Amino acid sequence: MIGTSPATLQEIEQRVLWLATAIVHHANRVRPNPEGLKVGGHQASSASMTTIMTALWFEHLRAGDRVSVKPHASPVLHAINYLLGELDGRYLTTLRAFGGLQSYPSRAKDPDPVDYSTGSVGIGATAPIWGALARRYVRAGEGRQYSLVGDAELDEGAVWEAVLDPMVAELGEVCWIVDLNRQSLDRVVPNIGATRLQGMFDAAGWQVLTVKYGRLLEKLFTLPGGPALRRRIDEMPNPEYQRLLRCTAAELRVRVPDSPELAALVEGLDDDTLVAAIRNLGGHDLDALGDAFAAIDDTRPTVIFAYTVKGHGLATEGHPQNHSSLLTADQLGELATRVGADVDEPWARFPEDSDAARLCAEVAARLRREPVPAPPVVTVPTDFGRTPGGTATTQAALGRALLDLTRSAPDAARRVVTLCPDVSSSTNLGGWVNKVGVWSARERVDWFADDPETILHWRERPDGQHLELGIAETNLVGLLGELGATWSRWGEPLLPIGVLYDPFVERALEPWSFGIYAGGQSILVGTPSGVSLAPEGGAHQSISTPSVGLEQPGCTAYEPAFAIEVEWTLLAALAQLGRPDGTSAYLRLSTRPVDQSLAAVPADPAARERRRRQVVAGAYPLRRSPGRPDVTIAAMGAMVPEALAAADRLAAQDVAADVVCVTSPGLVFDAVQARAGRASADSWVLEAAFPARRAAPLVTVLDGHPHTLAFLAGINQVRATHLGVHRFGQSGGLADVHRHHGIDADSVVAAALDLR
């Protein structure tokens, strides 16, 4: 190796700064913009990270490490990848253009290596924590998991939910680097509270390192008057410090001294040294950063607070409104002159015989990873061949189906991993947990193993398949997404299933959606759901989750009515995980006991398979009237018994009613779009469930917002009434609550008669 000489490393740092700035400049001031819309980009935010990322990539990073880059520093990542030969130069002019470099780092869409998608504040920062757990779970490789975090990002609650989870304190491979530039989007933050933040990390068991001052300031601190200079900088408020960055040397000589000894020190410094000293923070000092990286304790998570200047090295340096500001053409030219770049050839690489070029080549070789092997195909059965009887709930059917999987397909079952935020027993996963055990990095003693009254056995061991986090849904789905990405990171597909109370799905929606965007394939189970959880009252009765499932990209949502449908839809969803063309799924389950004979599962094998295919495709005819129907009742989930009861009562009044069970409104909607040529999906389910020859006025009913099924009326252009829940619920018995919301059998009958 040629070694990373300070001069060579600084030359690379300056080139990275130039490239990151030029990428944003070209997108906004050079590339044609016929619409006149703001393109955006963050030159100042990138500049504050340039030294940190240069030091990390070119001195300390190893091939097994993974890095989550703060969203607004994406141009720095692309600049580094370009210098390392990982990004074709033609993309440097495509920031935020269609098909080009994404606004924020995207693992799925950017053309260069991105370890973690970021952009949703707080979610990208915590992703490496869950990536570390996922890597440990599949026992794949080694390496640190870095998060490059903006200081304002620490305002997000998701950050602290992750930091405080008991599992995290054991993850020594996790390292966060906080870009402490003390500016947010709108202003200089008056008091960033660094000491308080450091104490919070320390209390959570993290190693806390601080890189506050660079070598120049540290040297000045040893001179006469140096302690007064340190005290002055330490004690001044953030806005005052930021104002000094905008001052000339002459102005600094007036503003900085507050004592005779400090005045004497300042007087003895030349102008260049004085100006450089004010901005000589540790986050812009390669040596100081190197010392911090070398001090990382790999036995516990580490956070490094690196003091920086937003816009460091740019004409906008330290300005309180520089967040989205752009350099002028003249300012860009001045930057080019200072860093040895050429405005006319902005993308020029280092000369091949230069030390900088050789170092780039060596680093590229050091960081080069072996291609991820193609994941093995996980074979999941489609049907266990069992027909549930008696009375059961769809929630309980989930636990039964998982146990059946261990018997029918043990190879697939071994790849299943379940997660809960402290609700395993209350969501009927007790049998599964007893069967497969709880995952832990090391085996722990089960002190209740010999207690005959203990029903749920908490056996923690490295081969357990259930993970229990604290009561924080954001953590649950963050880990769910990373477990769902192991097929693409290490060629080891998992079948992750996260189970939480359905009313809290919306709390978890943003990180779960972001995990899907980043390529994590998983199953989210919301249970119990709806107002059918009657005695719990409005706080625990979900209303809008059916439409959430309908609208979520990259996800198939199911709301089964019967236990057999839970089995079929769960198996279908599992079969779509851990593969390049895979998708996620959301299952909305209920605690409502339902007579399973109402499912009328065909005994003939061919007819049974036909029913299964229709269930998985989104809808099926549960009951057909002898002739052409007078009305069709389309019901979903827990409301199917009401639909059937209403059909019986209508028949007694000589009103013929078909009953269609909708298992996935999203899939049915896709079929409608496909029939119109607006989507690529199978449309055969429309003819199976809603054939034109049986078109009739339509009543839809579900335990959720009625608009979820309202589109069904457009399949055959019929008159319709849509029943559902559109206001907060009440505590009470099931019959009372259903009547209150107008989704009981009486309401269905009345709606059908009104449509005749």
Coordinates of all heavy atoms in Angstrom, one line a residue, residues 477-534:
V477 N -41.1 -3.1 13.0 CA -41.1 -3.1 11.6 C -39.8 -2.7 11.0 O -39.4 -3.1 9.9 CB -42.2 -2.2 11.0 CG1 -43.6 -2.7 11.4 CG2 -42.1 -0.8 11.5
G478 N -39.0 -2.0 11.8 CA -37.6 -1.7 11.3 C -36.8 -3.0 11.2 O -36.1 -3.3 10.2
L479 N -36.9 -3.8 12.2 CA -36.2 -5.1 12.2 C -36.9 -6.1 11.2 O -36.2 -6.8 10.5 CB -36.3 -5.8 13.6 CG -35.7 -7.2 13.7 CD1 -34.2 -7.2 13.2 CD2 -35.7 -7.6 15.2
L480 N -38.2 -6.0 11.1 CA -38.9 -6.8 10.1 C -38.4 -6.5 8.7 O -38.1 -7.5 7.9 CB -40.4 -6.5 10.1 CG -41.4 -7.4 9.4 CD1 -41.4 -8.8 10.1 CD2 -42.8 -6.8 9.5
G481 N -38.2 -5.3 8.3 CA -37.7 -4.9 7.0 C -36.3 -5.5 6.8 O -36.0 -6.0 5.7
E482 N -35.4 -5.4 7.8 CA -34.0 -5.9 7.6 C -34.0 -7.4 7.5 O -33.2 -8.0 6.8 CB -33.1 -5.4 8.7 CG -32.8 -3.9 8.6 CD -32.2 -3.6 7.2 OE1 -31.3 -4.3 6.8 OE2 -32.6 -2.6 6.6
L483 N -34.8 -8.1 8.3 CA -34.9 -9.6 8.2 C -35.4 -9.9 6.9 O -35.0 -11.0 6.3 CB -35.8 -10.1 9.3 CG -35.3 -10.0 10.8 CD1 -36.4 -10.3 11.8 CD2 -34.1 -11.0 10.9
G484 N -36.3 -9.1 6.3 CA -36.8 -9.4 5.0 C -35.9 -9.1 3.8 O -36.2 -9.3 2.7
A485 N -34.7 -8.5 4.2 CA -33.7 -8.1 3.1 C -32.5 -9.1 3.1 O -31.6 -8.9 2.3 CB -33.3 -6.7 3.3
T486 N -32.5 -10.1 4.0 CA -31.3 -10.9 4.1 C -31.1 -11.7 2.8 O -29.9 -12.1 2.5 CB -31.4 -11.9 5.3 OG1 -32.6 -12.7 5.1 CG2 -31.5 -11.1 6.6
W487 N -32.1 -11.9 2.0 CA -31.9 -12.7 0.8 C -31.1 -11.9 -0.2 O -30.3 -12.5 -0.9 CB -33.3 -13.0 0.1 CG -34.0 -11.7 -0.3 CD1 -34.8 -10.9 0.4 CD2 -33.9 -11.2 -1.6 NE1 -35.3 -9.9 -0.4 CE2 -34.7 -10.0 -1.6 CE3 -33.2 -11.5 -2.8 CZ2 -34.9 -9.2 -2.8 CZ3 -33.4 -10.7 -3.9 CH2 -34.2 -9.5 -3.9
S488 N -31.2 -10.6 -0.2 CA -30.4 -9.8 -1.1 C -29.1 -9.3 -0.5 O -28.2 -8.9 -1.3 CB -31.2 -8.5 -1.5 OG -31.6 -7.7 -0.4
R489 N -28.9 -9.3 0.8 CA -27.7 -8.9 1.4 C -26.7 -10.1 1.5 O -25.5 -9.9 1.2 CB -27.9 -8.4 2.8 CG -28.7 -7.0 2.9 CD -28.5 -6.4 4.2 NE -29.3 -5.2 4.4 CZ -29.0 -4.0 4.0 NH1 -27.9 -3.8 3.2 NH2 -29.9 -3.0 4.2
W490 N -27.2 -11.2 1.8 CA -26.3 -12.4 2.1 C -26.7 -13.7 1.4 O -26.1 -14.7 1.6 CB -26.2 -12.6 3.6 CG -25.6 -11.5 4.3 CD1 -24.3 -11.0 4.2 CD2 -26.3 -10.6 5.2 NE1 -24.1 -9.9 5.0 CE2 -25.3 -9.6 5.6 CE3 -27.6 -10.5 5.7 CZ2 -25.7 -8.6 6.5 CZ3 -27.9 -9.5 6.6 CH2 -27.0 -8.6 7.0
G491 N -27.8 -13.6 0.5 CA -28.2 -14.8 -0.1 C -28.9 -15.8 0.8 O -29.0 -16.9 0.5
E492 N -29.4 -15.3 1.9 CA -30.1 -16.1 2.9 C -31.5 -15.7 3.1 O -31.7 -14.7 3.9 CB -29.3 -16.1 4.2 CG -28.0 -17.0 4.3 CD -28.3 -18.5 4.2 OE1 -29.5 -18.9 4.5 OE2 -27.4 -19.2 3.8
P493 N -32.4 -16.2 2.4 CA -33.8 -15.8 2.6 C -34.4 -16.2 3.9 O -34.3 -17.3 4.3 CB -34.5 -16.4 1.4 CG -33.7 -17.7 1.1 CD -32.3 -17.3 1.4
L494 N -35.1 -15.2 4.5 CA -35.9 -15.5 5.7 C -37.4 -15.3 5.3 O -37.7 -14.6 4.4 CB -35.5 -14.6 6.8 CG -34.1 -14.9 7.4 CD1 -33.8 -13.8 8.5 CD2 -34.0 -16.3 8.0
L495 N -38.3 -15.8 6.1 CA -39.7 -15.6 6.0 C -40.2 -14.9 7.3 O -40.7 -15.5 8.2 CB -40.4 -16.9 5.8 CG -39.9 -17.8 4.7 CD1 -40.7 -19.1 4.6 CD2 -39.9 -17.1 3.4
P496 N -40.0 -13.6 7.4 CA -40.3 -12.8 8.6 C -41.7 -12.4 8.7 O -42.4 -12.0 7.8 CB -39.4 -11.6 8.5 CG -39.1 -11.4 7.1 CD -39.3 -12.7 6.4
I497 N -42.3 -12.6 9.9 CA -43.7 -12.3 10.2 C -43.7 -11.4 11.4 O -43.3 -11.9 12.5 CB -44.5 -13.5 10.4 CG1 -44.5 -14.5 9.2 CG2 -46.0 -13.2 10.7 CD1 -45.1 -15.8 9.4
G498 N -44.2 -10.2 11.3 CA -44.4 -9.3 12.5 C -45.8 -9.3 12.9 O -46.7 -9.1 12.0
V499 N -46.1 -9.5 14.2 CA -47.4 -9.5 14.7 C -47.6 -8.4 15.7 O -46.8 -8.3 16.7 CB -47.8 -10.8 15.3 CG1 -49.2 -10.9 15.8 CG2 -47.5 -12.0 14.3
L500 N -48.6 -7.5 15.5 CA -48.9 -6.4 16.4 C -50.4 -6.1 16.4 O -51.1 -6.6 15.5 CB -48.1 -5.2 16.0 CG -48.6 -4.4 14.8 CD1 -47.9 -3.0 14.8 CD2 -48.1 -5.1 13.5
Y501 N -50.8 -5.4 17.4 CA -52.2 -5.0 17.4 C -52.6 -4.2 16.2 O -51.9 -3.2 15.9 CB -52.6 -4.3 18.7 CG -52.5 -5.1 20.0 CD1 -52.5 -4.5 21.2 CD2 -52.5 -6.5 19.9 CE1 -52.5 -5.2 22.4 CE2 -52.4 -7.2 21.1 CZ -52.4 -6.6 22.3 OH -52.4 -7.3 23.5
D502 N -53.7 -4.5 15.5 CA -54.0 -3.8 14.3 C -54.2 -2.3 14.5 O -53.9 -1.5 13.6 CB -55.3 -4.4 13.7 CG -55.5 -4.0 12.2 OD1 -54.7 -4.4 11.4 OD2 -56.4 -3.3 12.0
P503 N -54.8 -1.8 15.6 CA -54.9 -0.4 15.7 C -53.6 0.4 15.7 O -53.5 1.6 15.4 CB -55.5 -0.2 17.1 CG -56.2 -1.5 17.4 CD -55.4 -2.5 16.7
F504 N -52.5 -0.4 15.9 CA -51.1 0.3 15.9 C -50.4 0.1 14.6 O -49.2 0.5 14.5 CB -50.3 -0.2 17.1 CG -51.0 -0.2 18.4 CD1 -50.9 -1.1 19.3 CD2 -51.9 0.9 18.7 CE1 -51.5 -1.1 20.6 CE2 -52.5 1.0 19.9 CZ -52.4 0.0 20.8
V505 N -51.0 -0.5 13.6 CA -50.4 -0.6 12.3 C -50.0 0.8 11.7 O -49.0 1.0 11.1 CB -51.3 -1.4 11.3 CG1 -50.9 -1.2 9.9 CG2 -51.3 -2.9 11.7
E506 N -50.9 1.7 11.9 CA -50.7 3.1 11.4 C -49.5 3.7 12.1 O -48.8 4.5 11.5 CB -51.9 3.9 11.5 CG -53.0 3.5 10.5 CD -54.3 4.2 10.7 OE1 -54.9 4.0 11.8 OE2 -54.7 4.9 9.8
R507 N -49.3 3.4 13.3 CA -48.1 3.9 14.0 C -46.8 3.4 13.3 O -45.8 4.0 13.3 CB -48.1 3.5 15.5 CG -47.0 4.0 16.3 CD -47.0 3.5 17.7 NE -48.3 3.9 18.4 CZ -48.6 3.4 19.7 NH1 -47.8 2.6 20.3 NH2 -49.7 3.8 20.2
A508 N -46.9 2.2 12.9 CA -45.7 1.5 12.3 C -45.6 1.7 10.8 O -44.7 1.2 10.1 CB -45.8 0.0 12.6
L509 N -46.6 2.4 10.2 CA -46.8 2.4 8.7 C -45.6 3.0 8.0 O -45.1 2.5 7.0 CB -48.1 3.1 8.3 CG -48.4 3.1 6.9 CD1 -48.5 1.7 6.3 CD2 -49.7 3.9 6.6
E510 N -45.1 4.1 8.5 CA -44.0 4.8 7.8 C -42.7 3.9 7.7 O -42.2 3.7 6.6 CB -43.7 6.2 8.4 CG -42.6 6.9 7.6 CD -41.9 8.0 8.4 OE1 -42.2 8.2 9.5 OE2 -41.0 8.6 7.8
P511 N -42.2 3.4 8.8 CA -41.0 2.6 8.7 C -41.3 1.3 8.0 O -40.4 0.8 7.3 CB -40.6 2.4 10.1 CG -41.8 2.7 11.0 CD -42.6 3.7 10.2
W512 N -42.5 0.7 8.1 CA -42.8 -0.5 7.4 C -42.8 -0.2 5.9 O -42.2 -1.0 5.1 CB -44.1 -1.1 7.8 CG -44.5 -2.3 7.1 CD1 -43.8 -3.5 7.0 CD2 -45.7 -2.6 6.4 NE1 -44.5 -4.4 6.3 CE2 -45.7 -3.9 6.0 CE3 -46.9 -1.8 6.2 CZ2 -46.7 -4.5 5.2 CZ3 -47.9 -2.4 5.5 CH2 -47.8 -3.7 5.0
S513 N -43.4 0.9 5.5 CA -43.5 1.2 4.0 C -42.1 1.5 3.5 O -41.7 1.1 2.4 CB -44.3 2.5 3.9 OG -44.4 2.9 2.5
F514 N -41.2 2.2 4.3 CA -39.9 2.4 3.9 C -39.1 1.2 3.8 O -38.2 1.0 2.9 CB -39.2 3.4 4.9 CG -38.1 4.2 4.3 CD1 -38.5 5.3 3.4 CD2 -36.8 3.9 4.4 CE1 -37.5 6.1 2.8 CE2 -35.8 4.7 3.9 CZ -36.2 5.8 3.0
G515 N -39.3 0.2 4.7 CA -38.6 -1.1 4.6 C -39.0 -1.8 3.3 O -38.1 -2.4 2.6
I516 N -40.2 -1.7 2.9 CA -40.7 -2.3 1.6 C -40.0 -1.6 0.4 O -39.4 -2.2 -0.5 CB -42.2 -2.3 1.4 CG1 -42.9 -3.1 2.5 CG2 -42.6 -2.7 0.0 CD1 -44.4 -3.0 2.5
Y517 N -39.9 -0.3 0.5 CA -39.2 0.5 -0.5 C -37.8 0.1 -0.7 O -37.2 0.1 -1.8 CB -39.3 2.0 -0.2 CG -38.5 2.9 -1.0 CD1 -38.9 3.3 -2.3 CD2 -37.3 3.4 -0.5 CE1 -38.2 4.2 -3.0 CE2 -36.5 4.3 -1.3 CZ -36.9 4.6 -2.6 OH -36.2 5.5 -3.3
A518 N -37.1 -0.2 0.5 CA -35.7 -0.6 0.5 C -35.5 -2.0 0.1 O -34.3 -2.5 0.2 CB -35.1 -0.3 1.8
G519 N -36.5 -2.8 -0.2 CA -36.3 -4.2 -0.6 C -36.6 -5.2 0.4 O -36.3 -6.4 0.2
G520 N -37.1 -4.8 1.6 CA -37.4 -5.8 2.6 C -38.8 -6.4 2.4 O -39.8 -5.7 2.3
Q521 N -38.8 -7.7 2.3 CA -40.0 -8.5 2.1 C -40.5 -9.2 3.3 O -39.7 -10.0 3.9 CB -39.8 -9.5 0.9 CG -39.4 -8.8 -0.4 CD -38.9 -9.9 -1.4 OE1 -39.0 -11.1 -1.2 NE2 -38.3 -9.4 -2.5
S522 N -41.7 -8.9 3.8 CA -42.1 -9.4 5.1 C -43.6 -9.5 5.1 O -44.3 -9.1 4.2 CB -41.6 -8.5 6.2 OG -42.2 -7.2 6.0
I523 N -44.1 -10.1 6.2 CA -45.5 -10.2 6.4 C -45.8 -9.5 7.7 O -45.2 -9.7 8.7 CB -46.0 -11.7 6.5 CG1 -45.8 -12.4 5.2 CG2 -47.5 -11.7 6.9 CD1 -46.1 -13.9 5.3
L524 N -46.8 -8.5 7.6 CA -47.2 -7.8 8.8 C -48.6 -8.3 9.1 O -49.5 -8.3 8.3 CB -47.2 -6.3 8.5 CG -47.5 -5.4 9.8 CD1 -46.4 -5.5 10.8 CD2 -47.7 -4.0 9.3
V525 N -48.8 -8.7 10.4 CA -50.1 -9.2 10.8 C -50.7 -8.3 11.8 O -50.0 -8.0 12.9 CB -50.0 -10.6 11.4 CG1 -51.4 -11.1 11.9 CG2 -49.4 -11.6 10.4
G526 N -51.8 -7.7 11.5 CA -52.5 -6.8 12.5 C -53.7 -7.6 13.1 O -54.6 -8.0 12.4
T527 N -53.6 -7.8 14.4 CA -54.6 -8.5 15.1 C -54.6 -8.2 16.6 O -53.5 -8.0 17.2 CB -54.4 -10.0 14.9 OG1 -55.5 -10.7 15.5 CG2 -53.1 -10.5 15.5
P528 N -55.8 -8.1 17.2 CA -57.1 -8.1 16.7 C -57.4 -6.8 16.0 O -56.8 -5.8 16.2 CB -58.0 -8.3 17.9 CG -57.2 -7.8 19.0 CD -55.8 -8.0 18.7
S529 N -58.5 -6.8 15.2 CA -58.8 -5.7 14.3 C -60.2 -5.3 14.4 O -61.1 -6.1 14.8 CB -58.5 -6.0 12.9 OG -59.3 -7.0 12.4
G530 N -60.5 -4.0 14.1 CA -61.9 -3.5 13.9 C -62.6 -3.3 15.2 O -62.2 -3.6 16.3
V531 N -63.9 -2.9 15.0 CA -64.8 -2.8 16.1 C -65.3 -4.1 16.7 O -66.0 -4.1 17.7 CB -66.0 -1.8 15.8 CG1 -65.5 -0.5 15.4 CG2 -66.9 -2.5 14.7
S532 N -64.9 -5.2 16.0 CA -65.3 -6.5 16.5 C -64.6 -6.8 17.8 O -65.0 -7.8 18.5 CB -65.0 -7.6 15.4 OG -65.9 -7.4 14.3
L533 N -63.5 -6.1 18.1 CA -62.9 -6.2 19.4 C -63.7 -5.3 20.3 O -63.2 -4.3 20.9 CB -61.5 -5.7 19.3 CG -60.6 -6.0 20.6 CD1 -60.4 -7.4 20.9 CD2 -59.2 -5.3 20.4
A534 N -65.0 -5.6 20.5 CA -66.0 -4.6 21.0 C -65.7 -4.1 22.4 O -65.7 -2.9 22.6 CB -67.4 -5.3 20.9

